[in-house]
């Protein structure tokens, strides 16, 4: 673990976060550990060693360009869900051949961009396929596609992060797959090269990946039997992380182990993790504005909020919360809340914590995934800065927004 406590003081790699807070001063901010990011990616690389497999990091989890460069240098590919993610991946130096563009509602300009760069495309629906065929004809070059299958597998996660169930908006139901093969047969410009599914996110029980691998392996073989040069079997991302800090959690090796024996020999496996690569590599650092009590609830009010980290408000998600240095005052049960004008604005509920003084540094752990990526300007708040620790070095890897960034629209009509 690259974020750790020593004598009650929080460290990131070789640096004390208290020292970082003194240098940076402006809170809240995100803080990442390069070593943790590398370790998390390397866990996948080791789990896949000796297999015909590729890791396509899902940019949606965190698309900070510096973190992307680190992952690209480690050999990662990129899974994208918007034209701008594609542009960001290009800027971070990913080769178009190592990118896959996903999505259930791709716009024509986004498809054109992907087609012009020769990025692999996921087909999500009948209309999506028709748009892809039109774009292939417009650019007059062959496009390689995967069909995204809706496997109807229940991953036992919050309904907002389950994506592969019967009534989900994503993918193509297996029984309709043959219709897509019929449609593709007479269209040589659109070449079917693989199949894809993604079950959801924050998955704790890797047995669902075994079910997915078995189903997708059968469909892969069916595609080949029908004469298609199907090569890629993309089983998505979705491995959860140990937000509760229990110390017991499935690893990438457990995930790959669950699927390994079920993959067809001639398949190249693609996995597209996001959270399990970047989640534990980042924390949110805030300052305490004050402490108050209403009714029978005690509140720690911080300068961090749902606009920096939406997950608790959006999914009731748990993030471990602590202080960056020892605090020796009465322990009470606190809700940790922000200044945003919403009762849903909280970072943690009912936590046993010592009563902090004003200005104390508070850390929200495991905030590297879907943290900054989901941040907003609600209440006209400015997005925070991002910093990276690499050994004993501290780098700013994104500046905080300023009021001027919020006034890009001309004020006069
Ligand atoms: C298609 C697809 N692939 C990969 C991911 C990454 O998932 P996770 O961050 O849970 O690994 C997502 C996120 O939901 C996704 O929708």
């Amino acid at each position: 673990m690259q974020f750790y406590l020593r004598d009650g003081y929080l460290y990131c790699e070789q640096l004390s976060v208290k020292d970082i807070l003194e240098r940076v001063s402006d809170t809240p901010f995100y803080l990442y550990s390069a070593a943790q990011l590398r370790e998390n990616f390397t866990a996948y690389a080791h789990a896949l060693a000796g297999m015909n497999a590729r890791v396509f990091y899902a940019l949606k989890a965190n698309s900070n360009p510096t973190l992307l460069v680190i992952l690209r240098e480690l050999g990662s590919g990129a899974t994208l869900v918007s034209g701008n993610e594609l542009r960001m991946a290009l800027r971070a130096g990913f080769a178009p051949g190592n990118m896959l563009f996903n999505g259930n509602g791709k716009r024509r300009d986004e498809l054109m961009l992907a087609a012009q760069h020769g990025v692999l495309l996921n087909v999500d629906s009948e209309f999506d396929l028709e748009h892809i065929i039109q774009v292939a004809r417009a650019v007059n070059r062959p496009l390689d596609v995967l069909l995204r299958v809706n496997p109807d597998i229940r991953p036992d996660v919050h309904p907002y992060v389950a994506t592969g169930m019967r009534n989900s908006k994503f993918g193509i139901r297996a029984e309709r797959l043959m219709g897509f093969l019929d449609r593709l047969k007479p269209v040589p410009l659109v070449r079917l090269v693989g199949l894809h599914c993604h079950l959801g996110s924050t998955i704790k029980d890797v047995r669902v990946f075994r079910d997915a691998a078995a189903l997708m392996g059968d469909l892969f073989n069916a595609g080949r039997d029908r004469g298609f040069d199907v090569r890629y079997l993309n089983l998505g991302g979705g491995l959860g992380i140990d937000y509760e800090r229990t110390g017991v959690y499935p690893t990438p090796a457990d995930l790959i182990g669950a699927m390994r024996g079920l993959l067809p020999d001639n398949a190249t496996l693609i996995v597209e993790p996001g959270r399990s690569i970047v989640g534990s590599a980042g924390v949110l650092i805030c300052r305490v504005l004050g402490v108050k009590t209403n009714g029978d609830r005690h509140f720690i009010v911080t300068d961090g909020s749902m606009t920096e980290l939406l997950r608790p408000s959006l999914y009731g998600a748990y993030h471990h919360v602590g202080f960056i240095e020892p605090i020796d005052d009465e322990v009470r049960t606190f809700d940790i809340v922000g200044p945003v004008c919403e009762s849903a604005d909280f970072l943690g509920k009912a936590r046993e914590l010592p009563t902090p003084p004003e200005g104390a540094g508070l850390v929200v752990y495991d905030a590297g995934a879907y943290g900054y990526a989901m941040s907003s300007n609600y209440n006209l708040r400015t997005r925070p800065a991002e910093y990276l620790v690499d050994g004993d070095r501290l780098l700013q890897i994104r500046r905080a927004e300023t009021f001027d960034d919020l006034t890009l629209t001309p004020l006069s009509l």
Side-chain angles (χ1 to χ4, degrees), residues 58 60-61 79 102 148 196 198 200-202 236-239 272-276 370:
K60 61 183 284 198
T79 288
N102 249 308
R148 177 167 181 168
H196 169 269
H198 173 71
S201 207
T202 69
L239 184 65
E272 35 182 43
R275 186 185 313 275
S276 49
Y370 306 101

mmCIF file with all atom_site columns, all heavy atoms in Angstrom, residues 58 60-61 79 102 148 196 198 200-202 236-239 272-276 370, ligand 1:
data_model
loop_
_atom_site.group_PDB
_atom_site.id
_atom_site.type_symbol
_atom_site.label_atom_id
_atom_site.label_alt_id
_atom_site.label_comp_id
_atom_site.label_asym_id
_atom_site.label_entity_id
_atom_site.label_seq_id
_atom_site.pdbx_PDB_ins_code
_atom_site.Cartn_x
_atom_site.Cartn_y
_atom_site.Cartn_z
_atom_site.occupancy
_atom_site.B_iso_or_equiv
_atom_site.pdbx_formal_charge
_atom_site.auth_seq_id
_atom_site.auth_comp_id
_atom_site.auth_asym_id
_atom_site.auth_atom_id
_atom_site.pdbx_PDB_model_num
ATOM   1   N N   . ALA A 1 58  ? -9.740  1.339  -18.888 1.00 0.00 ? 58  ALA A N   1
ATOM   2   C CA  . ALA A 1 58  ? -10.959 2.114  -19.182 1.00 0.00 ? 58  ALA A CA  1
ATOM   3   C C   . ALA A 1 58  ? -10.782 3.559  -18.730 1.00 0.00 ? 58  ALA A C   1
ATOM   4   O O   . ALA A 1 58  ? -10.816 3.859  -17.536 1.00 0.00 ? 58  ALA A O   1
ATOM   5   C CB  . ALA A 1 58  ? -12.162 1.488  -18.484 1.00 0.00 ? 58  ALA A CB  1
ATOM   6   N N   . LYS A 1 60  ? -12.668 5.991  -18.636 1.00 0.00 ? 60  LYS A N   1
ATOM   7   C CA  . LYS A 1 60  ? -13.765 6.653  -17.919 1.00 0.00 ? 60  LYS A CA  1
ATOM   8   C C   . LYS A 1 60  ? -13.475 6.724  -16.418 1.00 0.00 ? 60  LYS A C   1
ATOM   9   O O   . LYS A 1 60  ? -13.958 7.617  -15.740 1.00 0.00 ? 60  LYS A O   1
ATOM   10  C CB  . LYS A 1 60  ? -15.091 5.934  -18.193 1.00 0.00 ? 60  LYS A CB  1
ATOM   11  C CG  . LYS A 1 60  ? -15.124 4.500  -17.738 1.00 0.00 ? 60  LYS A CG  1
ATOM   12  C CD  . LYS A 1 60  ? -16.433 3.812  -18.089 1.00 0.00 ? 60  LYS A CD  1
ATOM   13  C CE  . LYS A 1 60  ? -17.559 4.226  -17.176 1.00 0.00 ? 60  LYS A CE  1
ATOM   14  N NZ  . LYS A 1 60  ? -18.693 3.276  -17.217 1.00 0.00 ? 60  LYS A NZ  1
ATOM   15  N N   . ALA A 1 61  ? -12.681 5.797  -15.897 1.00 0.00 ? 61  ALA A N   1
ATOM   16  C CA  . ALA A 1 61  ? -12.409 5.785  -14.457 1.00 0.00 ? 61  ALA A CA  1
ATOM   17  C C   . ALA A 1 61  ? -11.565 6.985  -14.039 1.00 0.00 ? 61  ALA A C   1
ATOM   18  O O   . ALA A 1 61  ? -11.767 7.549  -12.956 1.00 0.00 ? 61  ALA A O   1
ATOM   19  C CB  . ALA A 1 61  ? -11.711 4.485  -14.064 1.00 0.00 ? 61  ALA A CB  1
ATOM   20  N N   . THR A 1 79  ? -9.657  1.736  -23.389 1.00 0.00 ? 79  THR A N   1
ATOM   21  C CA  . THR A 1 79  ? -11.075 1.604  -23.708 1.00 0.00 ? 79  THR A CA  1
ATOM   22  C C   . THR A 1 79  ? -11.732 2.968  -23.525 1.00 0.00 ? 79  THR A C   1
ATOM   23  O O   . THR A 1 79  ? -11.541 3.616  -22.501 1.00 0.00 ? 79  THR A O   1
ATOM   24  C CB  . THR A 1 79  ? -11.741 0.570  -22.775 1.00 0.00 ? 79  THR A CB  1
ATOM   25  O OG1 . THR A 1 79  ? -11.291 -0.722 -23.162 1.00 0.00 ? 79  THR A OG1 1
ATOM   26  C CG2 . THR A 1 79  ? -13.239 0.602  -22.884 1.00 0.00 ? 79  THR A CG2 1
ATOM   27  N N   . ASN A 1 102 ? -16.201 2.170  -27.184 1.00 0.00 ? 102 ASN A N   1
ATOM   28  C CA  . ASN A 1 102 ? -17.417 1.563  -26.661 1.00 0.00 ? 102 ASN A CA  1
ATOM   29  C C   . ASN A 1 102 ? -18.533 2.559  -26.595 1.00 0.00 ? 102 ASN A C   1
ATOM   30  O O   . ASN A 1 102 ? -18.256 3.744  -26.472 1.00 0.00 ? 102 ASN A O   1
ATOM   31  C CB  . ASN A 1 102 ? -17.143 1.257  -25.176 1.00 0.00 ? 102 ASN A CB  1
ATOM   32  C CG  . ASN A 1 102 ? -17.049 -0.178 -24.900 1.00 0.00 ? 102 ASN A CG  1
ATOM   33  O OD1 . ASN A 1 102 ? -17.931 -0.930 -25.259 1.00 0.00 ? 102 ASN A OD1 1
ATOM   34  N ND2 . ASN A 1 102 ? -15.979 -0.554 -24.226 1.00 0.00 ? 102 ASN A ND2 1
ATOM   35  N N   . ARG A 1 148 ? -21.004 -6.152 -28.930 1.00 0.00 ? 148 ARG A N   1
ATOM   36  C CA  . ARG A 1 148 ? -21.162 -6.156 -27.467 1.00 0.00 ? 148 ARG A CA  1
ATOM   37  C C   . ARG A 1 148 ? -22.408 -6.964 -27.109 1.00 0.00 ? 148 ARG A C   1
ATOM   38  O O   . ARG A 1 148 ? -23.533 -6.587 -27.473 1.00 0.00 ? 148 ARG A O   1
ATOM   39  C CB  . ARG A 1 148 ? -21.296 -4.741 -26.915 1.00 0.00 ? 148 ARG A CB  1
ATOM   40  C CG  . ARG A 1 148 ? -21.541 -4.760 -25.413 1.00 0.00 ? 148 ARG A CG  1
ATOM   41  C CD  . ARG A 1 148 ? -21.366 -3.416 -24.768 1.00 0.00 ? 148 ARG A CD  1
ATOM   42  N NE  . ARG A 1 148 ? -21.596 -3.498 -23.333 1.00 0.00 ? 148 ARG A NE  1
ATOM   43  C CZ  . ARG A 1 148 ? -21.302 -2.548 -22.471 1.00 0.00 ? 148 ARG A CZ  1
ATOM   44  N NH1 . ARG A 1 148 ? -20.752 -1.443 -22.906 1.00 0.00 ? 148 ARG A NH1 1
ATOM   45  N NH2 . ARG A 1 148 ? -21.555 -2.684 -21.187 1.00 0.00 ? 148 ARG A NH2 1
ATOM   46  N N   . HIS A 1 196 ? -17.671 -8.868 -27.216 1.00 0.00 ? 196 HIS A N   1
ATOM   47  C CA  . HIS A 1 196 ? -17.412 -8.126 -25.984 1.00 0.00 ? 196 HIS A CA  1
ATOM   48  C C   . HIS A 1 196 ? -18.590 -8.273 -25.034 1.00 0.00 ? 196 HIS A C   1
ATOM   49  O O   . HIS A 1 196 ? -19.739 -8.390 -25.473 1.00 0.00 ? 196 HIS A O   1
ATOM   50  C CB  . HIS A 1 196 ? -17.230 -6.639 -26.345 1.00 0.00 ? 196 HIS A CB  1
ATOM   51  C CG  . HIS A 1 196 ? -17.206 -5.713 -25.168 1.00 0.00 ? 196 HIS A CG  1
ATOM   52  N ND1 . HIS A 1 196 ? -18.348 -5.104 -24.669 1.00 0.00 ? 196 HIS A ND1 1
ATOM   53  C CD2 . HIS A 1 196 ? -16.191 -5.279 -24.390 1.00 0.00 ? 196 HIS A CD2 1
ATOM   54  C CE1 . HIS A 1 196 ? -18.011 -4.338 -23.637 1.00 0.00 ? 196 HIS A CE1 1
ATOM   55  N NE2 . HIS A 1 196 ? -16.719 -4.425 -23.442 1.00 0.00 ? 196 HIS A NE2 1
ATOM   56  N N   . HIS A 1 198 ? -19.578 -6.677 -20.813 1.00 0.00 ? 198 HIS A N   1
ATOM   57  C CA  . HIS A 1 198 ? -19.124 -6.012 -19.584 1.00 0.00 ? 198 HIS A CA  1
ATOM   58  C C   . HIS A 1 198 ? -20.266 -6.150 -18.581 1.00 0.00 ? 198 HIS A C   1
ATOM   59  O O   . HIS A 1 198 ? -21.383 -5.689 -18.835 1.00 0.00 ? 198 HIS A O   1
ATOM   60  C CB  . HIS A 1 198 ? -18.801 -4.545 -19.866 1.00 0.00 ? 198 HIS A CB  1
ATOM   61  C CG  . HIS A 1 198 ? -18.493 -3.751 -18.638 1.00 0.00 ? 198 HIS A CG  1
ATOM   62  N ND1 . HIS A 1 198 ? -17.337 -3.918 -17.906 1.00 0.00 ? 198 HIS A ND1 1
ATOM   63  C CD2 . HIS A 1 198 ? -19.204 -2.798 -17.984 1.00 0.00 ? 198 HIS A CD2 1
ATOM   64  C CE1 . HIS A 1 198 ? -17.342 -3.087 -16.874 1.00 0.00 ? 198 HIS A CE1 1
ATOM   65  N NE2 . HIS A 1 198 ? -18.471 -2.405 -16.891 1.00 0.00 ? 198 HIS A NE2 1
ATOM   66  N N   . GLY A 1 200 ? -20.533 -5.152 -15.311 1.00 0.00 ? 200 GLY A N   1
ATOM   67  C CA  . GLY A 1 200 ? -20.833 -4.083 -14.364 1.00 0.00 ? 200 GLY A CA  1
ATOM   68  C C   . GLY A 1 200 ? -19.565 -3.722 -13.623 1.00 0.00 ? 200 GLY A C   1
ATOM   69  O O   . GLY A 1 200 ? -18.472 -4.103 -14.024 1.00 0.00 ? 200 GLY A O   1
ATOM   70  N N   . SER A 1 201 ? -19.728 -3.007 -12.537 1.00 0.00 ? 201 SER A N   1
ATOM   71  C CA  . SER A 1 201 ? -18.566 -2.488 -11.823 1.00 0.00 ? 201 SER A CA  1
ATOM   72  C C   . SER A 1 201 ? -18.688 -2.814 -10.336 1.00 0.00 ? 201 SER A C   1
ATOM   73  O O   . SER A 1 201 ? -19.779 -3.144 -9.867  1.00 0.00 ? 201 SER A O   1
ATOM   74  C CB  . SER A 1 201 ? -18.518 -0.976 -12.049 1.00 0.00 ? 201 SER A CB  1
ATOM   75  O OG  . SER A 1 201 ? -17.211 -0.494 -11.945 1.00 0.00 ? 201 SER A OG  1
ATOM   76  N N   . THR A 1 202 ? -17.592 -2.686 -9.609  1.00 0.00 ? 202 THR A N   1
ATOM   77  C CA  . THR A 1 202 ? -17.492 -3.005 -8.170  1.00 0.00 ? 202 THR A CA  1
ATOM   78  C C   . THR A 1 202 ? -17.818 -4.478 -7.869  1.00 0.00 ? 202 THR A C   1
ATOM   79  O O   . THR A 1 202 ? -18.361 -4.798 -6.814  1.00 0.00 ? 202 THR A O   1
ATOM   80  C CB  . THR A 1 202 ? -18.394 -2.095 -7.269  1.00 0.00 ? 202 THR A CB  1
ATOM   81  O OG1 . THR A 1 202 ? -19.755 -2.416 -7.501  1.00 0.00 ? 202 THR A OG1 1
ATOM   82  C CG2 . THR A 1 202 ? -18.152 -0.625 -7.492  1.00 0.00 ? 202 THR A CG2 1
ATOM   83  N N   . GLY A 1 236 ? -14.510 -7.347 -20.660 1.00 0.00 ? 236 GLY A N   1
ATOM   84  C CA  . GLY A 1 236 ? -14.824 -6.119 -19.939 1.00 0.00 ? 236 GLY A CA  1
ATOM   85  C C   . GLY A 1 236 ? -13.961 -5.885 -18.717 1.00 0.00 ? 236 GLY A C   1
ATOM   86  O O   . GLY A 1 236 ? -12.929 -6.509 -18.497 1.00 0.00 ? 236 GLY A O   1
ATOM   87  N N   . GLY A 1 237 ? -14.424 -4.923 -17.916 1.00 0.00 ? 237 GLY A N   1
ATOM   88  C CA  . GLY A 1 237 ? -13.746 -4.615 -16.653 1.00 0.00 ? 237 GLY A CA  1
ATOM   89  C C   . GLY A 1 237 ? -14.660 -5.027 -15.521 1.00 0.00 ? 237 GLY A C   1
ATOM   90  O O   . GLY A 1 237 ? -15.409 -5.981 -15.643 1.00 0.00 ? 237 GLY A O   1
ATOM   91  N N   . GLY A 1 238 ? -14.564 -4.301 -14.408 1.00 0.00 ? 238 GLY A N   1
ATOM   92  C CA  . GLY A 1 238 ? -15.581 -4.493 -13.375 1.00 0.00 ? 238 GLY A CA  1
ATOM   93  C C   . GLY A 1 238 ? -15.118 -5.006 -12.043 1.00 0.00 ? 238 GLY A C   1
ATOM   94  O O   . GLY A 1 238 ? -15.905 -5.016 -11.084 1.00 0.00 ? 238 GLY A O   1
ATOM   95  N N   . LEU A 1 239 ? -13.838 -5.436 -11.944 1.00 0.00 ? 239 LEU A N   1
ATOM   96  C CA  . LEU A 1 239 ? -13.385 -5.950 -10.646 1.00 0.00 ? 239 LEU A CA  1
ATOM   97  C C   . LEU A 1 239 ? -13.440 -4.831 -9.607  1.00 0.00 ? 239 LEU A C   1
ATOM   98  O O   . LEU A 1 239 ? -12.937 -3.728 -9.844  1.00 0.00 ? 239 LEU A O   1
ATOM   99  C CB  . LEU A 1 239 ? -11.959 -6.484 -10.785 1.00 0.00 ? 239 LEU A CB  1
ATOM   100 C CG  . LEU A 1 239 ? -11.377 -7.148 -9.529  1.00 0.00 ? 239 LEU A CG  1
ATOM   101 C CD1 . LEU A 1 239 ? -12.158 -8.403 -9.174  1.00 0.00 ? 239 LEU A CD1 1
ATOM   102 C CD2 . LEU A 1 239 ? -9.896  -7.473 -9.738  1.00 0.00 ? 239 LEU A CD2 1
ATOM   103 N N   . GLU A 1 272 ? -10.746 -4.884 -19.682 1.00 0.00 ? 272 GLU A N   1
ATOM   104 C CA  . GLU A 1 272 ? -10.728 -3.420 -19.685 1.00 0.00 ? 272 GLU A CA  1
ATOM   105 C C   . GLU A 1 272 ? -11.038 -2.868 -18.298 1.00 0.00 ? 272 GLU A C   1
ATOM   106 O O   . GLU A 1 272 ? -12.042 -2.203 -18.101 1.00 0.00 ? 272 GLU A O   1
ATOM   107 C CB  . GLU A 1 272 ? -11.669 -2.860 -20.756 1.00 0.00 ? 272 GLU A CB  1
ATOM   108 C CG  . GLU A 1 272 ? -12.918 -3.656 -20.978 1.00 0.00 ? 272 GLU A CG  1
ATOM   109 C CD  . GLU A 1 272 ? -13.811 -3.121 -22.080 1.00 0.00 ? 272 GLU A CD  1
ATOM   110 O OE1 . GLU A 1 272 ? -13.294 -2.741 -23.138 1.00 0.00 ? 272 GLU A OE1 1
ATOM   111 O OE2 . GLU A 1 272 ? -15.045 -3.093 -21.865 1.00 0.00 ? 272 GLU A OE2 1
ATOM   112 N N   . PRO A 1 273 ? -10.138 -3.126 -17.345 1.00 0.00 ? 273 PRO A N   1
ATOM   113 C CA  . PRO A 1 273 ? -10.356 -2.625 -15.983 1.00 0.00 ? 273 PRO A CA  1
ATOM   114 C C   . PRO A 1 273 ? -10.134 -1.123 -15.881 1.00 0.00 ? 273 PRO A C   1
ATOM   115 O O   . PRO A 1 273 ? -9.310  -0.558 -16.593 1.00 0.00 ? 273 PRO A O   1
ATOM   116 C CB  . PRO A 1 273 ? -9.287  -3.374 -15.173 1.00 0.00 ? 273 PRO A CB  1
ATOM   117 C CG  . PRO A 1 273 ? -8.209  -3.691 -16.142 1.00 0.00 ? 273 PRO A CG  1
ATOM   118 C CD  . PRO A 1 273 ? -8.856  -3.860 -17.483 1.00 0.00 ? 273 PRO A CD  1
ATOM   119 N N   . GLY A 1 274 ? -10.868 -0.498 -15.015 1.00 0.00 ? 274 GLY A N   1
ATOM   120 C CA  . GLY A 1 274 ? -10.656 0.912  -14.695 1.00 0.00 ? 274 GLY A CA  1
ATOM   121 C C   . GLY A 1 274 ? -10.387 1.045  -13.208 1.00 0.00 ? 274 GLY A C   1
ATOM   122 O O   . GLY A 1 274 ? -9.266  1.291  -12.766 1.00 0.00 ? 274 GLY A O   1
ATOM   123 N N   . ARG A 1 275 ? -11.442 0.795  -12.423 1.00 0.00 ? 275 ARG A N   1
ATOM   124 C CA  . ARG A 1 275 ? -11.386 0.986  -10.969 1.00 0.00 ? 275 ARG A CA  1
ATOM   125 C C   . ARG A 1 275 ? -10.226 0.239  -10.318 1.00 0.00 ? 275 ARG A C   1
ATOM   126 O O   . ARG A 1 275 ? -9.512  0.796  -9.488  1.00 0.00 ? 275 ARG A O   1
ATOM   127 C CB  . ARG A 1 275 ? -12.710 0.479  -10.379 1.00 0.00 ? 275 ARG A CB  1
ATOM   128 C CG  . ARG A 1 275 ? -12.892 0.721  -8.889  1.00 0.00 ? 275 ARG A CG  1
ATOM   129 C CD  . ARG A 1 275 ? -14.187 0.058  -8.408  1.00 0.00 ? 275 ARG A CD  1
ATOM   130 N NE  . ARG A 1 275 ? -15.309 0.342  -9.263  1.00 0.00 ? 275 ARG A NE  1
ATOM   131 C CZ  . ARG A 1 275 ? -16.081 1.412  -9.192  1.00 0.00 ? 275 ARG A CZ  1
ATOM   132 N NH1 . ARG A 1 275 ? -15.849 2.314  -8.270  1.00 0.00 ? 275 ARG A NH1 1
ATOM   133 N NH2 . ARG A 1 275 ? -17.087 1.584  -10.034 1.00 0.00 ? 275 ARG A NH2 1
ATOM   134 N N   . SER A 1 276 ? -10.034 -1.034 -10.677 1.00 0.00 ? 276 SER A N   1
ATOM   135 C CA  . SER A 1 276 ? -9.034  -1.838 -9.977  1.00 0.00 ? 276 SER A CA  1
ATOM   136 C C   . SER A 1 276 ? -7.615  -1.420 -10.351 1.00 0.00 ? 276 SER A C   1
ATOM   137 O O   . SER A 1 276 ? -6.653  -1.863 -9.737  1.00 0.00 ? 276 SER A O   1
ATOM   138 C CB  . SER A 1 276 ? -9.262  -3.335 -10.252 1.00 0.00 ? 276 SER A CB  1
ATOM   139 O OG  . SER A 1 276 ? -9.403  -3.560 -11.643 1.00 0.00 ? 276 SER A OG  1
ATOM   140 N N   . TYR A 1 370 ? -13.336 7.183  -10.735 1.00 0.00 ? 370 TYR A N   1
ATOM   141 C CA  . TYR A 1 370 ? -14.671 7.810  -10.734 1.00 0.00 ? 370 TYR A CA  1
ATOM   142 C C   . TYR A 1 370 ? -14.753 8.910  -9.674  1.00 0.00 ? 370 TYR A C   1
ATOM   143 O O   . TYR A 1 370 ? -15.808 9.149  -9.098  1.00 0.00 ? 370 TYR A O   1
ATOM   144 C CB  . TYR A 1 370 ? -15.778 6.750  -10.549 1.00 0.00 ? 370 TYR A CB  1
ATOM   145 C CG  . TYR A 1 370 ? -15.660 5.642  -11.562 1.00 0.00 ? 370 TYR A CG  1
ATOM   146 C CD1 . TYR A 1 370 ? -15.095 4.411  -11.224 1.00 0.00 ? 370 TYR A CD1 1
ATOM   147 C CD2 . TYR A 1 370 ? -16.043 5.844  -12.877 1.00 0.00 ? 370 TYR A CD2 1
ATOM   148 C CE1 . TYR A 1 370 ? -14.935 3.406  -12.163 1.00 0.00 ? 370 TYR A CE1 1
ATOM   149 C CE2 . TYR A 1 370 ? -15.883 4.845  -13.831 1.00 0.00 ? 370 TYR A CE2 1
ATOM   150 C CZ  . TYR A 1 370 ? -15.332 3.642  -13.470 1.00 0.00 ? 370 TYR A CZ  1
ATOM   151 O OH  . TYR A 1 370 ? -15.167 2.658  -14.418 1.00 0.00 ? 370 TYR A OH  1
HETATM 152 C C1  . LIG B 2 .   ? -17.664 -1.087 -21.184 1.00 0.00 ? 1   LIG B C1  1
HETATM 153 C C2  . LIG B 2 .   ? -16.891 -0.835 -19.958 1.00 0.00 ? 1   LIG B C2  1
HETATM 154 N N1  . LIG B 2 .   ? -15.664 -1.349 -19.850 1.00 0.00 ? 1   LIG B N1  1
HETATM 155 C C3  . LIG B 2 .   ? -14.914 -1.168 -18.750 1.00 0.00 ? 1   LIG B C3  1
HETATM 156 C C4  . LIG B 2 .   ? -15.397 -0.442 -17.680 1.00 0.00 ? 1   LIG B C4  1
HETATM 157 C C5  . LIG B 2 .   ? -14.520 -0.284 -16.466 1.00 0.00 ? 1   LIG B C5  1
HETATM 158 O O1  . LIG B 2 .   ? -15.125 -0.830 -15.346 1.00 0.00 ? 1   LIG B O1  1
HETATM 159 P P1  . LIG B 2 .   ? -14.349 -0.836 -13.948 1.00 0.00 ? 1   LIG B P1  1
HETATM 160 O O2  . LIG B 2 .   ? -13.882 0.547  -13.711 1.00 0.00 ? 1   LIG B O2  1
HETATM 161 O O3  . LIG B 2 .   ? -15.371 -1.264 -12.973 1.00 0.00 ? 1   LIG B O3  1
HETATM 162 O O4  . LIG B 2 .   ? -13.242 -1.800 -14.077 1.00 0.00 ? 1   LIG B O4  1
HETATM 163 C C6  . LIG B 2 .   ? -16.667 0.091  -17.745 1.00 0.00 ? 1   LIG B C6  1
HETATM 164 C C7  . LIG B 2 .   ? -17.224 0.818  -16.594 1.00 0.00 ? 1   LIG B C7  1
HETATM 165 O O5  . LIG B 2 .   ? -18.320 0.655  -16.184 1.00 0.00 ? 1   LIG B O5  1
HETATM 166 C C8  . LIG B 2 .   ? -17.446 -0.092 -18.912 1.00 0.00 ? 1   LIG B C8  1
HETATM 167 O O6  . LIG B 2 .   ? -18.673 0.420  -19.025 1.00 0.00 ? 1   LIG B O6  1
#
